[in-house]
Amino acid sequence: MKVVILTGPSPSTVFSHAPLGAALRNAGHQVMMTSCMEEMIPIIVGVGFSALPITDPDLPAAKIIAPDGTMPQLPAEPIERERLTGRWYARLEAVTLDALLAFAQDWRPDVVIGGVNAYAAPLLATRLGVPYVRQAWDINDPREMDLGAAEELREQLAELGLDRFPDPDMMIEITPPSLLPPDAAPAQMMRWIPGNSQCRLEPWMYTRGAGTRVGVTIGTGVIRHNELDFLHEIVEHITALDAEVVVPVQDEAAPVLRERVKNVRAGWIPLDVLAPTCDVLVHQTGGSTMMTALSFGVPQILIPDPGMWRQTEMANRLAEVGAAIVLTPEEAASDAIVKSCQEIISNPAYAAAAAALAREIAALPSPSEVAHRIESLVHEASRGGRD
């Protein structure tokens, strides 16, 4: 079986697909992975997959999103902002369609797997007449973004005789069942397994002392100056705690942070190595970071961008079940973050709630089980069993 996986535009989306991709490959299938962002090609290779380039490296994403060079003003209304985000994702995906179709002439996949915002995936699968599998990356509900993306790609959909995206032949959901919204569509559940890049380890990365350990991260992307300043503010406040503070950060940013804030451990640390050693993980509500912490039963302090509805919605859902505390960016850069860390560390109810979610995740079907179900889906399709 030939499988092509369309990831999203960030390292965390690549990491999210790696466990299922590995399960399919370990079952004897050929797997290729690609992204609408050229920058993801080395990330894909870094997690052990053949990477298919389908974008023009000389055409930056900003130029695709705003061809005239002027980025539109973000709407104040959260739902409209979500739909605009969906349109932006759709523009990034649309320019890859010709390359994907040319690739399929040489290497025709038997199934197309796409992340929730990989909007080229359903179009490619429909054009080829093969099953389409959609895989969730986090607990976010993408329906509003889907509406924006469908509006942006209405011409491409019309060429296929469609007025909306086709329903996937299989929807893979990784949200712990107790966090699913009441109106969630039926889905194939799958256990979340971290798939992030690894490194040469040192003992301090995977061990901890007798005291408290707090992890702080702002994601896997390239850290800009203002983000480093924000991280510095957060970490500086947290060092007031009687705790070991560990910051997984890009190697180029680590010396700067260590120079600014003494007595912290900083460097590129795989989050699946660090998270199990932490009493609390502080981060900006990255979906992959959230799921990795949940899979190890680690309570979290979440700092969503107030302008990003999906981040706020995810953070609030986790706080409602008692596994997290939500702070604004302003609160996170103040003594409030110290009090929040102390609250989680001193109140065992947070760790208990996080541990309950970890048990839910561990009970879900493994990627290898889901790989076998994809095999059955493709086999059925090959026998004319698709509607």
Side-chain angles (χ1 to χ4, degrees), residues 5 7 11 14-15 17-26 29-34 40-52 195-198:
I5 300 176
T7 76
V14 175
F15 301 156
H17 287 289
L20 180 58
L24 286 161
R25 188 175 54 196
N26 291 343
H29 305 297
Q30 294 177 271
V31 180
M32 288 197 187
M33 195 176 289
T34 188
M40 295 307 105
I41 296 300
I43 304 295
I44 292 170
V45 173
V47 294
F49 290 91
S50 298
L52 174 68
N196 44 282
S197 300
Q198 299 298 309

Side-chain angles (χ1 to χ4, degrees), residues 216 218 225-239 247 256-262 264 332-333:
V216 186
I218 58 172
H225 182 73
N226 62 326
E227 292 174 325
L228 185 59
D229 288 343
F230 181 56
L231 179 62
H232 170 208
E233 287 188 271
I234 294 172
V235 172
E236 191 168 46
H237 280 91
I238 292 177
T239 53
V247 186
V256 178
L257 186 64
R258 287 194 294 262
E259 177 64 28
R260 291 185 180 189
V261 185
K262 306 301 181 184
V264 300

